[in-house]
């Protein structure tokens, strides 16, 4: 059996590009430090809106295949070699935005049986044995059905993976020591948008998004961990976001999605610990998601 890295991080996301926008600095940092970084993406984002005109012909399965290539390129920029699709490529389709008829597609992630979808992730958890899991909050950050379902799958799989009664060839039970949700503190977002509004006349974007458009925003008091990117890690995040060219236009330190509304590219990433024990830093927040993790205490 191949020897495992001492520190192992698992991230669960809905579509290709979500990981780079939310956690690019974090992933680049831990990959550079030699931690095992595993990304599980739940869909290929087949219903995403395509930005470049020359790629506008892409849709459905063809777009999904292209976005899979973009994901591989982004992971190359972040130094991450272990990235997977939940249940295999194409197992779960993009559900589209909340309230659309796409949500009723029986093959989309939103319609997936929770325990069946979670079983795919249980197998990954028991194989990789991560001490730390990162995913969205219970609203998926901003209410997208795939983000909400990715949250539910991640949290359910964490429970099932730790239950020795859950067998069926999924490996030995493993308890994840710490679970974090992606967050952005409102004061940091407001300051970043103030800088954006000053810079907007010189940017290739006509308008700015609103502060409240930022997913996972909470008050400062909810932030328990802060990962502050070095210049190298910040550059890796921007490069990874650029790799998702169908979905993102980057003009550092800003970017826009298909709505063409500029928003800050956060090179400091924020988290809320929702399970496990915090290892507090000098300022009362963690600066390392593995703080307090001693090793393989998750074995059951």
């Amino acid at each position: 059996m191949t020897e495992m890295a001492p520190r192992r991080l698992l991230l669960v996301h809905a579509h290709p590009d979500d990981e780079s926008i939310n956690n690019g600095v974090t992933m680049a940092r831990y990959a550079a430090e030699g931690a095992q970084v595993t990304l599980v993406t739940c869909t290929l984002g087949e219903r995403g809106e395509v930005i470049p005109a020359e790629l506008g012909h892409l849709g459905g399965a063809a777009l999904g295949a292209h976005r899979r290539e973009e994901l591989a390129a982004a992971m190359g920029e972040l130094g991450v070699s272990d990235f997977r699709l939940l249940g295999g490529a194409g197992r779960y389709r993009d559900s589209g935005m909340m309230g659309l008829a796409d949500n009723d597609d029986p093959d989309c992630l939103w319609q997936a049986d929770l325990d069946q979808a979670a079983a795919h992730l249980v197998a990954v958890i028991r194989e990789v044995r991560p001490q730390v899991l990162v995913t969205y909050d219970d609203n998926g950050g901003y209410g997208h059905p795939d983000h909400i379902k990715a949250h539910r799958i991640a949290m359910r799989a964490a429970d099932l993976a730790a239950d020795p009664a859950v067998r069926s060839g999924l490996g030995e039970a493993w308890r994840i020591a710490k679970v974090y949700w992606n967050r952005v503190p409102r004061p940091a977002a407001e300051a970043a948008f103030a800088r954006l509004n000053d810079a907007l006349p010189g940017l290739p974007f006509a308008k700015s998004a609103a502060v409240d458009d930022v997913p996972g925003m909470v008050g400062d008091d909810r932030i328990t961990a802060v990962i502050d990117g070095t210049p190298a890690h910040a550059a890796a995040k921007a490069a990874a976001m650029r790799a998702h060219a169908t979905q993102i236009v980057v003009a550092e330190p800003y970017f826009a999605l298909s709505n063409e509304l500029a928003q800050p590219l956060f090179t400091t990433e924020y988290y809320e610990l929702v399970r496990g024990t915090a290892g507090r830093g000098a300022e009362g927040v963690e600066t390392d998601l593995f703080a307090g993790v001693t090793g393989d205490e998750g074995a059951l």
Side-chain angles (χ1 to χ4, degrees):
M1 179 178 179
T2 303
E3 184 176 353
M4 290 187 170
R7 298 189 299 170
R8 301 178 297 278
L9 169 65
L10 172 65
L11 304 100
V12 177
H13 277 288
H15 316 105
D17 80 2
D18 293 324
E19 80 297 323
S20 297
I21 295 171
N22 287 279
N23 310 116
V25 161
T26 302
M27 296 173 74
R29 168 187 164 172
Y30 286 113
E33 291 179 357
Q36 169 67 35
V37 178
T38 299
L39 168 68
V40 174
T41 305
C42 295
T43 82
L44 286 169
E46 300 92 339
R47 291 189 166 103
E49 296 180 352
V50 176
I51 296 173
E54 64 272 19
L55 297 176
H57 62 283
L58 293 174
L63 177 57
H66 189 88
R67 293 190 70 178
R68 188 179 184 185
E69 294 176 358
E70 290 182 339
L71 179 61
M75 293 304 94
E77 298 291 353
L78 298 178
V80 173
S81 58
D82 187 9
F83 52 98
R84 314 174 187 208
L85 292 160
L86 185 70
R91 177 63 182 83
Y92 298 107
R93 292 181 187 168
D94 187 337
S95 306
M97 298 300 289
M98 187 67 84
L100 298 180
D102 298 332
N103 304 165
D104 298 325
D105 180 350
D107 293 325
C108 77
L109 187 68
W110 187 239
Q111 293 296 329
D113 178 270
L114 179 58
D115 280 359
Q116 289 179 2
H120 297 301
L121 188 58
V122 169
V124 176
I125 291 171
R126 290 182 171 184
E127 173 196 343
V128 176
R129 295 156 67 98
Q131 298 107 334
V132 177
L133 167 66
V134 169
T135 191
Y136 314 104
D137 64 17
D138 53 2
N139 189 44
Y142 71 108
H144 191 294
D146 287 336
H147 287 239
I148 295 171
K149 196 61 170 278
H151 157 86
R152 293 174 181 173
I153 290 168
M155 301 303 288
R156 180 62 174 153
D159 290 338
L160 294 174
D163 185 350
V166 177
R167 298 285 183 181
S168 302
L170 296 175
E172 297 300 318
W174 178 261
R175 177 178 293 113
I176 298 172
K178 302 173 80 175
V179 178
Y180 292 92
W181 291 348
N182 292 305
R183 292 299 192 193
V184 175
R186 179 174 287 277
E190 290 174 343
F193 272 91
R195 294 190 294 271
L196 166 58
N197 288 328
D198 290 340
L200 198 57
L203 296 176
F205 312 118
K207 296 181 180 179
S208 168
V211 172
D212 287 331
D213 292 335
V214 175
M217 191 159 51
V218 292
D220 265 339
D221 59 321
R222 298 279 294 275
I223 304 301
T224 63
V226 177
I227 303 298
D228 196 358
T230 66
H233 298 155
K237 173 172 181 167
M241 290 173 63
R242 281 194 181 93
H244 291 289
T246 60
Q247 306 299 305
I248 307 173
V249 175
V250 177
E252 291 177 77
Y254 307 107
F255 74 99
L257 302 173
S258 60
N259 59 14
E260 300 182 357
L261 299 177
Q263 53 184 302
L265 192 163
F266 290 102
T267 57
T268 300
E269 294 170 349
Y270 305 88
Y271 300 93
E272 179 182 5
L273 181 68
V274 296
R275 291 188 185 178
T277 302
R280 297 290 184 183
E283 301 300 320
V285 296
E286 298 173 307
T287 56
D288 179 6
L289 301 186
F290 291 91
V293 172
T294 59
D296 284 351
E297 65 269 36
L300 296 170

